[in-house]
Amino acid sequence: MMKKHILITLTFLFTVSSISCKKESKPEEKSISVTEEITPETEIDTINWYTDLCEMNSKFDVSKYSKKQLKDTHHLWFGTIGYINFDGYPVFNLDDKTEPIEVLEERYAEGKAELENLEVVDLPYWNNLKQLKLLELKSFYEHEKTAYFAYANPKNLVKTVYDVKAKVYVDALVSGDSLKMIAAWKKLNEEQKANNGSPEHVEKKFQSRLNSPQCLEYAKMDLFTFGWNNNTKKNCKGCEVLENRDPMYEEYKKLFISTTEECSEP
């Protein structure tokens, strides 16, 4: 009788444990925001959207925003819009294929048109964010255009704005003096070794290029890319707010009557 009682107890505990495990493996779904009251007159629609780890389902008042406006606003906040992929000069290898300036002009025009055509919700926060994105895109375009021409004629770098620690690299590039360029390149190499998890690999690569017949071209490429470009200050007043997307997330949630989320483990 005692054995039977123990067996029943163990069976019950195993069942409870199994149910508990099944619940834990299921993605968590919960309501995360309710921003306004729903009245009988409110016409409601739903929209799915996402963040890095979560999929959202939100209810919204169709008299306030359209689904297109909400999708375009999400794209403004969460998409990669506002950047230009352009290879106008070699970065890691002299043999890298570079693109003509016409490619930059074309991609800027396309990106600008895409941004301008976004139909974001008509609220000050999102209208301002759209203008900042346009300003960021323009500053990125102007920087890449400057870099394109400066690589061919480093004297153009004198007119650019950069961190003071890059002065030694810019001066060497502008001078065109081989000894100054090699000295600045060695200094840059030491800086890169100090900030790399495999300094031996960095040194080996540097020594290989230093002893190459193309050593001055390699020096120019590294001084330009890692000495100047990585230390430039782009002209985009107010764009620092674009670096923090958390406030955008909070503002976006405010557009909905309610939102539920289903998140995966990070």
Side-chain angles (χ1 to χ4, degrees):
M1 184 69 179
M2 187 67 168
K3 288 182 180 179
K4 186 176 180 182
H5 176 71
I6 292 171
L7 182 61
I8 292 170
T9 303
L10 289 173
T11 302
F12 172 76
L13 289 173
F14 176 79
T15 303
V16 170
S17 176
S18 298
I19 292 171
S20 176
C21 289
K22 287 178 182 177
K23 284 182 178 178
E24 289 176 1
S25 63
K26 199 178 175 185
E28 185 180 1
E29 184 176 314
K30 61 181 180 179
S31 174
I32 59 170
S33 67
V34 178
T35 58
E36 61 183 77
E37 294 284 334
I38 303 175
T39 67
E41 294 78 24
T42 305
E43 187 179 348
I44 298 171
D45 198 355
T46 61
I47 185 172
N48 291 324
W49 52 286
Y50 56 86
T51 62
D52 289 322
L53 295 174
C54 301
E55 183 176 341
M56 314 292 196
N57 181 270
S58 297
K59 295 178 180 179
F60 66 95
D61 185 343
V62 299
S63 68
K64 293 184 176 180
Y65 322 112
S66 69
K67 189 169 284 190
K68 175 174 170 44
Q69 284 180 309
L70 292 170
K71 286 182 176 180
D72 282 6
T73 303
H74 180 268
H75 188 48
L76 178 73
W77 150 49
F78 202 72
T80 56
I81 194 168
Y83 301 95
I84 305 172
N85 181 26
F86 176 64
D87 299 316
Y89 58 90
V91 175
F92 298 108
N93 197 303
L94 292 175
D95 296 326
D96 286 347
K97 186 177 180 181
T98 58
E99 297 171 316
I101 194 66
E102 289 78 13
V103 171
L104 175 64
E105 301 290 352
E106 183 180 331
R107 288 179 184 164
Y108 172 60
E110 289 172 351
K112 185 170 180 284
E114 184 182 4
L115 262 171
E116 289 176 337
N117 290 330
L118 285 181
E119 190 182 334
V120 300
V121 295
D122 189 16
L123 291 172
Y125 179 84
W126 296 107
N127 287 327
N128 180 61
L129 193 67
K130 182 177 176 178
Q131 292 307 308
L132 285 176
K133 282 279 190 177
L134 282 165
L135 183 60
E136 180 186 50
L137 181 69
K138 183 180 179 183
S139 70
F140 188 85
Y141 156 73
E142 289 175 343
H143 173 79
E144 289 298 295
K145 190 172 182 177
T146 297
Y148 178 87
F149 290 110
Y151 193 83
N153 182 9
K155 286 184 170 53
N156 290 337
L157 296 176
V158 175
K159 304 172 187 177
T160 62
V161 181
Y162 48 84
D163 192 282
V164 65
K165 71 178 183 179
K167 188 176 187 307
V168 63
Y169 308 129
V170 173
D171 287 348
L173 283 165
V174 171
S175 74
D177 184 289
S178 59
L179 293 178
K180 283 187 177 180
M181 287 181 66
I182 295 298
W185 189 25
K186 287 181 178 179
K187 182 180 186 304
L188 177 63
N189 180 62
E190 292 301 317
E191 183 181 311
Q192 290 179 314
K193 280 164 58 179
N195 295 309
N196 192 282
S198 302
E200 303 86 2
H201 174 72
V202 175
E203 180 63 22
K204 183 179 178 180
K205 185 177 180 180
F206 173 73
Q207 288 298 330
S208 174
R209 291 181 170 182
L210 180 63
N211 294 309
S212 163
Q214 297 174 292
C215 64
L216 286 178
E217 291 181 58
Y218 277 120
K220 177 183 176 182
M221 180 181 72
D222 284 352
L223 289 171
F224 190 86
T225 303
F226 306 109
W228 170 75
N229 190 43
N230 283 8
N231 293 292
T232 55
K233 297 179 180 179
K234 297 176 180 65
N235 181 27
C236 190
K237 188 176 180 181
C239 288
E240 57 275 2
V241 302
L242 299 176
E243 296 173 10
N244 183 5
R245 297 199 302 184
D246 290 342
M248 302 178 205
Y249 169 67
E250 295 300 329
E251 288 297 323
Y252 192 67
K253 284 195 300 180
K254 292 178 183 178
L255 303 175
F256 303 110
I257 295 169
S258 66
T259 296
T260 57
E261 67 176 10
E262 189 172 305
C263 300
S264 303
E265 291 292 330

